[in-house]
Amino acid sequence: MFLILFYSLAAVILSATVLAVTRRNLVHAVLYLVLSFFGSAMLLYLFGAPFLAAMEIIIYAGAVMVLFLFVIMMIDLSHLPEVLFPVSQLIPALVIVGAYTAAGALMLAGDPVAGRRLSPAAVAPGTFGEYVMTHHWLPVEVVSLLLLVVLLGALHLGRPRPDNDSGGEPERG
Amino acid sequence: MEVSFAHALMLAGILFLVGLFTVSSRRNLIMMLLGLEIMLNAVSLIFVAAALRWRQIEGQAISLFVLAVAAAEVSLGLAFIIAIHRRSGSVDPGQLGKLK
């Protein structure tokens, strides 16, 4: 059961991601990526991290991708259509990716450390939360500071500027 | 028959390489940011798989912070993209040097 689920989820995740990166339409790409993140969340649940699976759906598919959709729909990208996969960029990227895939496959073939079978286990969210809050309380505080910094940065970057009309009230005729 | 850890490693590795391919071959800043997100997702996947293989919660805790940092970074990246688009009218990284 674990086997069937793992391979089918792997197929879904990989195909959805490859489809996402080859779309010309950005909204389609984001939606395929949402599908891929749902597959990743199911895979995280399979690997015994139900809290992380829920967090991935809430944060990644729910907040980050929606933010992407907002930005894509806000910016008008129809003037200059993107040159899709120019050959001068495509060939080096494919060569590098192929070389790394081959190197990874060679490294993993017959490796005793990596060849160990995974047996299913799960961490209850309460246990996980207790672990994080006791052993990693400092990174939690640092992450909250990071979010404050990001908030300030986003506010500063999005502030209304005197030479454009975004962020202001609608003009009265 | 059971799944070997090497297969989970290969899945996350290929996912990471797909993200790397996206960043290096798409001429659109939003797609490059999407590739970054794919890479970070692959990293959190492999940390959780390693936590399962070695039976420690540590990998899942690391993955939680990777998730938080990814969310923070993408919001700031999108704010940057909006500012760039306002300033120069395009999100093509090749054009950004010319439209000064």
Side-chain angles (χ1 to χ4, degrees):
Chain A
M1 198 59 215
F2 191 85
L3 191 84
I4 300 172
L5 277 173
F6 174 76
Y7 286 117
S8 49
L9 280 174
V12 166
I13 293 171
L14 277 177
S15 56
T17 313
V18 168
L19 277 173
V21 309
T22 53
R23 297 300 104 195
R24 182 184 289 278
N25 188 338
L26 286 177
V27 177
H28 291 180
V30 168
L31 291 178
Y32 276 120
L33 206 59
V34 168
L35 186 61
S36 163
F37 285 155
F38 267 95
S40 287
M42 285 193 260
L43 194 61
L44 285 179
Y45 193 92
L46 191 67
F47 283 162
F51 181 70
L52 277 172
M55 283 297 111
E56 167 133 359
I57 301 245
I58 295 172
I59 296 175
Y60 256 130
V64 166
M65 289 296 121
V66 170
L67 203 56
F68 265 105
L69 281 175
F70 280 163
V71 170
I72 289 170
M73 290 177 185
M74 237 168 56
I75 301 182
D76 184 13
L77 289 166
S78 55
H79 318 293
L80 308 154
E82 171 194 352
V83 177
L84 202 61
F85 295 125
V87 182
S88 62
Q89 278 180 270
L90 182 68
I91 301 295
L94 280 178
V95 165
I96 290 176
V97 165
Y100 269 120
T101 313
L106 274 176
M107 264 176 45
L108 287 178
D111 188 12
V113 174
R116 150 99 175 259
R117 309 290 181 193
L118 295 171
S119 48
V123 175
T127 317
F128 179 66
E130 201 180 321
Y131 180 80
V132 169
M133 291 302 177
T134 52
H135 292 244
H136 295 295
W137 58 271
L138 186 58
V140 172
E141 303 301 325
V142 170
V143 162
S144 67
L145 202 59
L146 174 73
L147 290 175
L148 177 68
V149 168
V150 165
L151 178 66
L152 290 173
L155 275 174
H156 176 75
L157 284 170
R159 74 193 186 282
R161 309 173 52 126
D163 54 331
N164 66 9
D165 55 5
S166 65
E169 300 88 16
E171 299 182 357
R172 298 171 190 274
Chain B
M1 195 185 149
E2 289 182 347
V3 179
S4 72
F5 180 58
H7 294 183
L9 262 178
M10 274 306 281
L11 167 69
I14 292 179
L15 211 56
F16 187 86
L17 289 171
V18 168
L20 184 64
F21 174 75
T22 309
V23 172
S24 62
S25 73
R26 288 293 296 248
R27 295 193 62 169
N28 190 333
L29 282 176
I30 299 180
M31 279 309 288
M32 290 164 75
L33 208 51
L34 231 56
L36 268 178
E37 287 310 297
I38 297 172
M39 284 199 265
L40 285 164
N41 183 34
V43 164
S44 69
L45 258 182
I46 197 55
F47 268 122
V48 173
L52 184 63
R53 186 237 182 270
W54 270 281
R55 295 285 205 229
Q56 295 177 0
I57 306 188
E58 195 67 38
Q60 295 188 11
I62 297 174
S63 182
L64 183 68
F65 293 116
V66 166
L67 221 57
V69 166
E73 155 248 332
V74 82
S75 44
L76 207 53
L78 284 171
F80 263 116
I81 290 178
I82 293 177
I84 288 173
H85 185 261
R86 257 191 224 162
R87 202 183 265 274
S88 69
S90 93
V91 289
D92 187 348
Q95 301 291 321
L96 290 176
K98 303 177 193 166
L99 297 169
K100 209 77 197 292

